[in-house]
């Protein structure tokens, strides 16, 4: 298995960039097209836990706009020709909050690259469940 094939990284980055542009423009149709249209698709958001494309679509329909954000760092790793993970660190420009977003992408037959799983979170000031030494 080839890890981090530059061609695969570029393909995953293209989907990543398309998704980011759609978030900025609240383009629900493009956001939907980026995801695998399947009941097994998962999206864990800041305020929601969504299993299946229909739940993701219903969430997208409820959003008037997304908080503006500036990319701080993008990290992409590919595994073979058909799987990639993207990691985004961003800052919400309206509040200064730092967010993280991980997407697992797969190249699907007759569909091309799609997000099959996504996890979005905001950086908390502390973790009450972790006791430091």
């Amino acid at each position: 298995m080839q890890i981090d094939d530059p061609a695969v990284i570029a393909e995953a980055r293209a989907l990543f960039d398309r998704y980011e542009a759609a978030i900025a423009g609240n383009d629900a149709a493009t956001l939907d097209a980026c995801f695998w249209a399947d009941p097994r698709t998962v999206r864990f958001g800041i305020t929601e836990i969504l299993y299946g494309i229909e739940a993701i679509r219903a969430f997208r329909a409820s959003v008037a706009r997304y908080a503006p954000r500036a990319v701080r760092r993008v990290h992409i790793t590919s595994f073979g020709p058909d799987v990639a993970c993207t990691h985004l660190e961003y800052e919400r420009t309206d509040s200064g909050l730092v967010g993280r977003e991980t997407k697992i992408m797969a190249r699907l037959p007759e569909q091309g690259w799609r997000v099959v799983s996504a996890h979005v979170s905001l950086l908390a000031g502390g973790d009450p469940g972790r006791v430091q030494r």
Side-chain angles (χ1 to χ4, degrees), residues 30-95:
T30 298
L31 292 170
D32 184 58
C34 289
F35 275 76
W36 183 30
D38 191 272
R40 293 169 284 187
T41 303
V42 175
R43 182 183 180 278
F44 291 165
I46 293 167
T47 62
E48 64 282 347
I49 298 173
L50 307 170
Y51 289 95
I53 193 64
E54 293 308 321
I56 295 167
R57 287 176 176 156
F59 166 74
R60 295 263 186 242
S62 75
V63 175
R65 71 171 180 82
Y66 294 93
R69 64 193 197 184
V71 173
R72 291 174 42 160
R73 183 174 179 182
V74 176
H75 179 83
I76 301 174
T77 304
S78 68
F79 301 91
D82 300 320
V83 176
C85 300
T86 65
H87 301 89
L88 166 66
E89 178 185 335
Y90 63 89
E91 182 176 338
R92 286 188 167 177
T93 57
D94 59 351
S95 66

